[in-house]
Amino acid sequence: MFITFFTELKSAGVPVSLREYLTLMEALDKDLAERSVEDFYYLARMSLVKDEGNLDKFDRVFGHVFKGLDLMSEVPTSEIPEEWLRKLAEKHLSEEEKAQIEALGGFEKLMETLQERLKEQQKRHQGGNKWIGTAGTSPFGAYGYNPEGVRIGQKESRHRRAVKVWDKREFKDLDDTQLLGTRNIQVALKRLRHFARTGAAEELDLDDTIRSTAHKGLLDIKMRAERHNAVKVLLFFDIGGSMDDHIRVCEELFSAARSEFKVMEHFYFHNCLYEYVWKENHRRHTERIDTMDVLHKYPADYKIIFVGDASMSPYEIAYPGGSVEHWNEEAGATWMQRITGLYRSAIWLNPVRQEHWGYTHSIQMLNELMDGRMYPMTVEGLTEGMKDLAR
């Protein structure tokens, strides 16, 4: 089993050596994993992975080789008593039943009601329509349905209707070594490239050498600076939640952008831009980057590309405190206006089919904030977006 794990890692491109494999075997002989699947996962990752860029590949191989083993997270989900949140059953409602459930009537009302429930509730509930619990129609809890609620104690999204998510969620970085299934993305991105000669004169200028030699009658070698891609790009990726459906095309875009743009910085955000972004998803709670610092560090000649499905609660864009994961002091719209006000060349690439944009209010809101510069993530959309940035 462990030999298979080792060979699968090498096949996936993770540079593991025999010495590292023997180190892992020695650690297992000393029972350092204490017969825990989760402890073995972290022990193997520490022993075999030297570069954080290979963590995603390691996770995929680990899940494939040790499929079926239950790997429970030790990260606490919330301060609400655990026994209240235990999942006993999932409630599946018909479309008619869903239509009968009414939202509480606005973001402020939802937050006020949650505070009241936390003060009043004294025991666990299941299947109800008021208290924090499971498998019901209450706005607060897990594994039920409500058109506008706060998700508490649920591992993943089901209906994608939550206004806020109580639990701490973990996202994964995009793999920038992902092999492209098509070169169409690269071809579209090339339209943004602008070459300039910068730096020291280290390259032979053949035409000028011939011209000068013919004029002087003696060999006169002329040098020139190398041509470099002068375009500078800031790439902002929406990550997690509904964007999990589009991770493949985002990795393809990320790989293409890495190869096409010499000067490129990338950042992650969730749903809408707020007061901080991050570079690595497994450190997003500890190594945040202030968005204002990004605006101060990178001058206005950078090109801005947002990548996201723009599908969220309208509160996340329009309201302070509307973020699904934290309490933002300023509305997402305020931060988007700061970006578009500073950087004249900015576009939003949306992986959702363009004919579906009209069904999601948040997509329309962000398209307006981008002054109509939202493009579908198709070859035609990428081409038009690059033309827009090149103006």
Side-chain angles (χ1 to χ4, degrees):
M1 177 175 62
F2 296 120
I3 290 291
T4 301
F5 182 41
F6 177 74
T7 56
E8 290 276 352
L9 284 172
K10 291 187 73 68
S11 299
V14 180
V16 290
S17 67
L18 183 59
R19 176 68 262 172
E20 291 160 346
Y21 173 75
L22 294 175
T23 299
L24 175 61
M25 293 300 100
E26 183 181 354
L28 291 175
D29 286 341
K30 294 181 179 179
D31 200 23
L32 295 184
E34 298 180 345
R35 292 178 172 81
S36 164
V37 177
E38 186 162 11
D39 289 345
F40 168 64
Y41 164 78
Y42 287 112
L43 177 64
R45 194 175 76 171
M46 178 183 67
S47 302
L48 302 175
V49 180
K50 301 183 289 293
D51 186 344
E52 291 177 349
N54 293 317
L55 288 176
D56 187 53
K57 297 176 186 175
F58 175 86
D59 286 350
R60 290 201 294 263
V61 173
F62 190 94
H64 169 69
V65 175
F66 301 105
K67 55 183 178 294
L69 298 181
D70 189 17
L71 190 63
M72 298 298 294
S73 173
E74 295 180 353
V75 179
T77 57
S78 67
E79 297 178 1
I80 295 177
E82 180 181 354
E83 63 271 20
W84 292 10
L85 304 178
R86 193 178 298 114
K87 174 189 171 187
L88 296 182
E90 290 193 24
K91 183 164 184 177
H92 299 278
L93 305 179
S94 67
E95 293 302 322
E96 291 76 13
E97 290 173 317
K98 291 178 182 179
Q100 295 174 1
I101 303 172
E102 296 182 357
L104 284 177
F107 180 74
E108 292 88 352
K109 182 63 177 177
L110 184 66
M111 293 296 102
E112 291 174 7
T113 306
L114 175 58
Q115 290 181 343
E116 294 173 2
R117 296 286 193 274
L118 289 173
K119 291 178 182 178
E120 298 172 7
Q121 187 167 344
Q122 300 299 321
K123 61 181 181 179
R124 178 185 171 275
H125 285 267
Q126 177 186 335
N129 61 8
K130 176 180 179 181
W131 299 110
I132 302 168
T134 59
T137 59
S138 164
F140 315 107
Y143 301 102
Y145 175 83
N146 191 281
E148 191 175 85
V150 179
R151 196 172 85 216
I152 303 174
Q154 181 176 314
K155 181 181 178 181
E156 70 287 321
S157 175
R158 294 168 66 243
H159 301 293
R160 293 176 177 168
R161 302 302 298 269
V163 174
K164 271 193 177 293
V165 176
W166 187 289
D167 310 285
K168 179 181 178 181
R169 296 188 288 172
E170 298 297 332
F171 304 146
K172 287 188 176 181
D173 295 345
L174 297 177
D175 186 354
D176 62 352
T177 63
Q178 175 70 37
L179 293 177
L180 294 177
T182 175
R183 288 185 55 82
N184 288 338
I185 295 178
Q186 288 179 303
V187 172
L189 294 180
K190 286 181 186 293
R191 295 181 178 274
L192 185 57
R193 296 169 71 177
H194 171 69
F195 287 100
R197 296 196 181 275
T198 57
E202 298 176 347
E203 181 181 270
L204 175 65
D205 188 339
L206 183 59
D207 291 341
D208 197 17
T209 297
I210 294 173
R211 187 182 306 108
S212 181
T213 299
H215 178 71
K216 294 183 177 180
L218 297 172
L219 179 62
D220 187 13
I221 296 177
K222 298 293 184 180
M223 307 295 289
R224 63 185 177 186
E226 293 185 57
R227 294 179 75 219
H228 297 287
N229 188 353
V231 171
K232 296 177 290 185
V233 176
L234 293 184
L235 196 55
F236 293 87
F237 280 103
D238 180 7
I239 200 77
S242 58
M243 280 300 293
D244 288 346
D245 297 342
H246 311 291
I247 194 166
R248 177 58 187 273
V249 68
C250 288
E251 286 187 332
E252 291 179 354
L253 177 66
F254 195 18
S255 292
R258 279 286 193 201
S259 64
E260 291 302 318
F261 304 130
K262 184 175 181 180
V263 180
M264 188 193 84
E265 292 288 343
H266 77 279
F267 301 95
Y268 295 112
F269 67 99
H270 184 55
N271 284 357
C272 190
L273 190 69
Y274 297 111
E275 65 272 17
Y276 64 85
V277 291
W278 57 94
K279 298 280 287 185
E280 298 178 46
N281 282 302
H282 69 285
R283 293 180 176 176
R284 70 189 183 101
H285 297 290
T286 57
E287 295 185 7
R288 298 170 174 174
I289 303 170
D290 288 344
T291 306
M292 194 60 73
D293 289 345
V294 174
L295 302 187
H296 290 158
K297 180 177 181 180
Y298 300 99
D301 60 342
Y302 270 76
K303 312 287 186 181
I304 308 298
I305 303 176
F306 286 99
V307 182
D309 60 6
S311 301
M312 67 199 82
S313 165
Y315 301 140
E316 297 183 61
I317 302 171
Y319 281 74
S323 168
V324 73
E325 290 196 311
H326 77 291
W327 192 271
N328 50 299
E329 297 296 332
E330 295 182 290
T334 301
W335 286 102
M336 293 302 301
Q337 289 166 349
R338 286 193 179 113
I339 285 278
T340 55
L342 176 60
Y343 300 97
R344 291 191 309 163
S345 297
I347 63 170
W348 187 295
L349 298 177
N350 195 328
V352 175
R353 294 172 65 91
Q354 190 170 9
E355 56 265 32
H356 296 160
W357 291 3
Y359 300 114
T360 304
H361 184 44
S362 59
I363 294 180
Q364 300 174 50
M365 294 173 67
L366 279 173
N367 196 13
E368 291 178 6
L369 288 169
M370 295 297 299
D371 295 326
R373 291 172 291 173
M374 180 179 287
Y375 298 93
M377 201 180 292
T378 61
V379 174
E380 182 180 0
L382 281 172
T383 301
E384 293 300 317
M386 296 308 105
K387 287 180 180 179
D388 190 327
L389 289 179
R391 293 182 185 134

